[in-house]
Amino acid sequence: MINTVQKRPFKGNYETAEHRLVEQQVVARLIKGTGLTATKLPKRDVLDFVLTQDDKVVCFAEIRSRNISSDLEFFHLPLKKFNVIRNHYEASKTITALVVQFTDKVMRAWLGKTREHRVVLWGTQSSDDGFDIEPTVKIEMNRFEEMWEVEA
């Protein structure tokens, strides 16, 4: 059987102003007092930031935000992003910090070394335009550590 999936029409900017603000706030707090510099990467690089110290790449960072509590069993990351994370690690042994701001806390998981994650077709029906689904990697929430609580 072949399923036909209709993607939602592309709406405006790749990242909204609100998304960029959350990214900036999270990454600023993440590197505060570390001596690291965070550089926003262009869209073609897939990941959000590269963190450096004295121009040496320390790690990459993917910043996500969700309007739900962190009380989940799994976090879904697009497979295309995970493949980039794995490729960076394979090429340079550089890991990626997946940092997710939920409504209650900000959590971080280190990705790159481990290949074994379940890949599923996952998504939401967030509008009348059809399903927005894609292959994702299911990351168990026990891989995450709490960074800080989100202020109400």
Side-chain angles (χ1 to χ4, degrees):
M1 173 172 40
I2 298 174
N3 290 326
T4 302
V5 178
Q6 294 181 338
K7 297 292 278 182
R8 288 185 301 188
F10 189 71
K11 296 179 181 164
N13 294 332
Y14 172 66
E15 296 176 329
T16 66
E18 181 181 354
H19 178 79
R20 286 191 302 275
L21 179 62
V22 168
E23 272 187 353
Q24 291 168 2
Q25 291 170 340
V26 168
V27 81
R29 184 158 179 189
L30 192 65
I31 66 171
K32 185 177 181 179
T34 65
L36 296 175
T37 299
T39 302
K40 177 74 170 153
L41 294 170
K43 179 182 173 183
R44 71 173 183 274
D45 287 353
V46 181
L47 300 178
D48 291 324
F49 291 91
V50 61
L51 278 57
T52 58
Q53 188 166 40
D54 300 325
D55 293 329
K56 181 181 183 296
V57 173
V58 175
C59 69
F60 295 92
E62 175 66 16
I63 312 296
R64 311 290 279 188
S65 60
R66 295 290 180 265
N67 288 325
I68 56 174
S69 164
S70 61
D71 186 26
L72 302 170
E73 190 175 349
F74 298 98
F75 182 83
H76 291 264
L77 183 70
L79 179 60
K80 64 184 174 188
K81 286 192 178 279
F82 185 76
N83 286 337
V84 170
I85 290 168
R86 284 289 305 149
N87 289 340
H88 285 334
Y89 184 76
E90 289 295 322
S92 66
K93 302 300 182 226
T94 304
I95 58 178
T96 297
L98 171 60
V99 182
V100 185
Q101 178 172 304
F102 294 99
T103 56
D104 55 342
K105 59 184 82 166
V106 174
M107 301 184 75
R108 177 185 65 204
W110 292 105
L111 300 177
K113 292 182 181 182
T114 305
R115 294 183 186 150
E116 298 81 21
H117 292 283
R118 186 170 172 210
V119 177
V120 298
L121 191 61
W122 183 84
T124 61
Q125 185 177 9
S126 57
S127 72
D128 292 335
D129 295 329
F131 289 96
D132 185 15
I133 61 175
E134 64 183 325
T136 65
V137 174
K138 285 178 76 169
I139 302 168
E140 294 182 12
M141 288 303 292
N142 64 11
R143 297 271 321 270
F144 287 82
E145 62 182 311
E146 182 177 337
M147 299 300 295
W148 61 84
E149 290 186 12
V150 173
E151 299 172 13

